[in-house]
């Protein structure tokens, strides 16, 4: 997902990966960063401690860049039947 968004929008993507034990230290909490797993766009925490859809991340990027939100993806027949 991240490489595709980096190619689509003029953004810099930084991925930080650490062992879970490092996220539970006093030093980490002092940094005022979100609880992992998390996604931040600019200074906005888009999600913290849970998964998020690609569409919501892309919408947050567009908002941060001052662009209109992306067009919703068309649902297939099964998606329409299940209303997902």
């Amino acid at each position: 997902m991240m490489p595709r968004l980096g190619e689509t929008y003029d953004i810099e993507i930084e991925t930080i990966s650490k062992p879970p034990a490092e996220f539970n230290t006093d030093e980490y909490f002092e940094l005022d960063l979100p609880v992992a797993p998390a996604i931040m766009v600019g200074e906005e925490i888009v999600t913290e401690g849970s998964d998020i859809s690609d569409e919501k991340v892309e919408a947050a990027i567009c908002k941060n860049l001052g662009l209109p939100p992306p067009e919703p993806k068309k649902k297939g027949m099964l998606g329409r039947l299940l209303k997902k």
Side-chain angles (χ1 to χ4, degrees), residues 24-58:
N24 295 321
T25 63
D26 290 337
E27 293 81 16
Y28 181 80
F29 287 110
E30 288 175 9
L31 296 174
D32 200 29
L33 293 172
V35 176
I39 295 177
M40 291 180 71
V41 176
E43 297 297 318
E44 176 188 359
I45 298 171
V46 180
T47 186
E48 180 176 16
S50 65
D51 291 335
I52 188 171
S53 71
D54 295 356
E55 291 82 17
K56 289 184 180 181
V57 173
E58 190 170 1

Side-chain angles (χ1 to χ4, degrees), residues 53-74:
S53 71
D54 295 356
E55 291 82 17
K56 289 184 180 181
V57 173
E58 190 170 1
I61 290 169
C62 289
K63 178 182 168 186
N64 185 269
L65 295 174
L67 300 172
E71 293 291 323
K73 295 195 181 352
K74 295 195 183 238

